[in-house]
Amino acid sequence: MTDQDIDPSQLSSSQQEALGTYTAVTNQEPSAAVALLERSQWNVQFAIAKFFDGEAPDPVEEARASFASAPLPPSQSSRQEVLMNGFSRSPRTQTRSRLDPAPRIVPQPDNRNVYRPPFLFSLLFSPFKLLYRLLSGSVGLFTYLFPVLPQLLSGRAGGRAQPQRLKDTSGRRPLNSRDTASRFTREFEEEYGHHDLKFFENGYAQAYDVAKTDLKFLLVVLLSPEHDDTATFVRSTLLSPEVVTYINDPQNKIILWAGNVQDSEAYQVSTALNCSKFPFAAVVAHTLQDSSTSMSTIARISGLLPPSAFVPRLRSAISQHSAALDQARASRNEQQATRNLREEQNSAYERSLARDRERVRQRREAEEARTCAEREQKAKAESAEREAQNREQWRKWRAQSIPPEPPSSGEGITRVSIRMTSGERVVRKFRAEADMEELYAFVECFDVLSEAGPPSKVSGPPNYDHVYRFRLVSPLPRVVYEYEGAGTISSSVGRSGNLLVELLDDDEDE
């Protein structure tokens, strides 16, 4: 599968997942990403390490390339042509010089940690430590008083020279990458004054990653304070207006990283970039013609050069690789624009889908509310209908048990005049010992009792408690006669009385 005809649909699910993970981390083109993943046996971790640390050349491919580019044994006629015309005219002898790879340097952390034993061990060995200090102090005092004695003892030991331990005379405390860069910038300004150069305020590895990700040129400047030409190079070349203007020009896309070789990180960078002379400058760039992940040193500038020679060398190296980086940058921007457009479309689709889901949810809730309201209304109607049926059945049943009106000539008779809700006035006689509930039942069942013919036999409704929805009151003075606990009719109304029927509201009924 070549880089031009890569189709993600032809990859397996695991390969597509590996490709998505790799491109999300490295932001590389899918064609180059698939090629690198194939060379890494589809191992995402190896591929990411190759992308950031640089991919080492494949010895098999180099052997094939060298075998393919090796010239064939010349024939007799070609030998005579070469002898007559010289080697310079033969185009076969012209081979492209391969750029040196620029590795990604990560300084090793300083491990000079002082070991402190536990307190129990310190307390246990404190006598021995005190004895050692006393003995060493005595020996030191003895050698100070008799300085000739150590020389005699060393001479009798066979004249063997003891190797001296090397000491760190630089006096520079090791720091992390960011602090080392800040210290270099501060020392540079203290030594050479204020300037307009914009040093990268972090380590070489971070500048390396930014140059690789943003497709920019990394200008590495290494200085040695012990070299005689360092001050002259900085003042006359590096800080010259011509060099400063060229480096700060945004169109050149240059990241400036500088370091002092007395620091561990800068020293490792000088070794990796094959620095042989100070002051030293190198231009590192992403060389897509070699590999999709390679970073190479495209120019080395060693020694003291004037600005008229320093800037043209920078310009020449950058101009040779600007076209490829511009093309890659445009392709990456196009891919990013396509990715952004796809994300915007997906986001718009998700928002539209969310709105549709919200409409469906509101419609479903409204339908459920309507169904619930209809169900409740139907239940209420059925309950009201059942209540009306039970009430009517109770009235017919209760009318059967109401005794007939007693004669007027008898004793123990109470005459009651009742004004109905319809305005009709009904006068009826009741037995004096009858309960007030009988009077209420007469009013409730008046319509049933008024019907012609004898009432039919009706049983009472099951599980029904009848509630009177009216009350009987005396107008003057106003007295309300309840049917519960009111006693007999004669004790409440007397021998005769005028009563009104007042309907109860639903709240009063409850």
Side-chain angles (χ1 to χ4, degrees), residues 183-459:
R183 180 172 62 182
F184 173 82
T185 304
R186 184 180 64 255
E187 293 177 350
F188 190 88
E189 291 182 354
E190 292 176 355
E191 180 69 20
Y192 303 105
H194 180 71
H195 58 86
D196 295 332
L197 290 177
K198 300 177 182 178
F199 292 111
F200 188 79
E201 293 292 338
N202 212 327
Y204 170 80
Q206 288 72 26
Y208 183 96
D209 295 339
V210 172
K212 186 174 186 178
T213 304
D214 298 344
L215 298 177
K216 293 184 178 181
F217 296 96
L218 175 59
L219 176 59
V220 180
V221 178
L222 299 176
L223 303 177
S224 175
E226 299 178 354
H227 200 277
D228 297 336
D229 296 336
T230 299
T232 305
F233 170 77
V234 172
R235 289 190 173 90
S236 62
T237 302
L238 189 61
L239 296 181
S240 63
E242 184 179 359
V243 175
V244 172
T245 303
Y246 184 79
I247 293 176
N248 293 338
D249 190 358
Q251 297 181 356
N252 297 327
K253 296 179 176 59
I254 296 176
I255 299 175
L256 177 60
W257 185 89
N260 188 343
V261 293
Q262 291 181 349
D263 295 326
S264 175
E265 183 179 18
Y267 178 77
Q268 295 180 34
V269 172
S270 65
T271 304
L273 297 181
N274 299 326
C275 174
S276 59
K277 186 178 180 181
F278 292 101
F280 176 80
V283 181
V284 179
H286 189 12
T287 51
L288 299 173
Q289 64 273 16
D290 294 338
S291 174
S292 60
T293 61
S294 64
M295 292 284 286
S296 303
T297 304
I298 63 176
R300 288 185 178 87
I301 306 174
S302 301
L304 180 61
L305 292 179
S308 58
F310 187 83
V311 173
R313 294 189 62 174
L314 283 180
R315 185 182 292 110
S316 176
I318 292 176
S319 61
Q320 291 179 4
H321 297 80
S322 294
L325 292 182
D326 291 341
Q327 183 178 1
R329 196 178 298 109
S331 177
R332 180 176 296 181
N333 293 336
E334 182 179 358
Q335 291 180 0
Q336 186 64 32
T338 304
R339 189 180 298 108
N340 294 337
L341 179 60
R342 188 183 301 111
E343 291 178 356
E344 292 178 359
Q345 292 176 351
N346 294 337
S347 178
Y349 173 76
E350 292 294 336
R351 291 194 300 269
S352 177
L353 184 61
R355 288 193 297 267
D356 295 341
R357 290 175 179 173
E358 182 65 19
R359 294 194 192 98
V360 172
R361 185 187 64 81
Q362 294 177 357
R363 191 182 301 112
R364 183 173 60 253
E365 291 180 353
E367 185 68 21
E368 292 177 355
R370 185 179 61 80
T371 304
C372 183
E374 292 178 355
R375 191 184 301 111
E376 292 179 356
Q377 185 177 2
K378 183 178 180 181
K380 289 181 179 180
E382 292 178 353
S383 177
E385 183 179 359
R386 186 167 54 253
E387 176 71 17
Q389 293 177 357
N390 292 335
R391 190 177 187 85
E392 185 66 23
Q393 184 178 354
W394 184 89
R395 292 174 61 195
K396 293 180 180 180
W397 169 78
R398 185 66 177 85
Q400 298 174 170
S401 60
I402 295 177
E405 183 179 5
S408 302
S409 59
E411 296 181 357
I413 302 300
T414 300
R415 182 178 177 276
V416 180
S417 175
I418 305 172
R419 185 178 183 84
M420 298 296 181
T421 56
S422 61
E424 181 182 359
R425 180 172 294 277
V426 178
V427 180
R428 192 179 189 281
K429 296 181 288 297
F430 295 90
R431 289 179 291 109
E433 64 274 10
D435 296 334
M436 284 295 296
E437 193 275 336
E438 185 173 345
L439 181 58
Y440 270 82
F442 171 78
V443 175
E444 183 74 24
C445 303
F446 178 75
D447 295 340
V448 179
L449 296 174
S450 301
E451 293 179 358
S456 59
K457 297 294 183 181
V458 180
S459 60

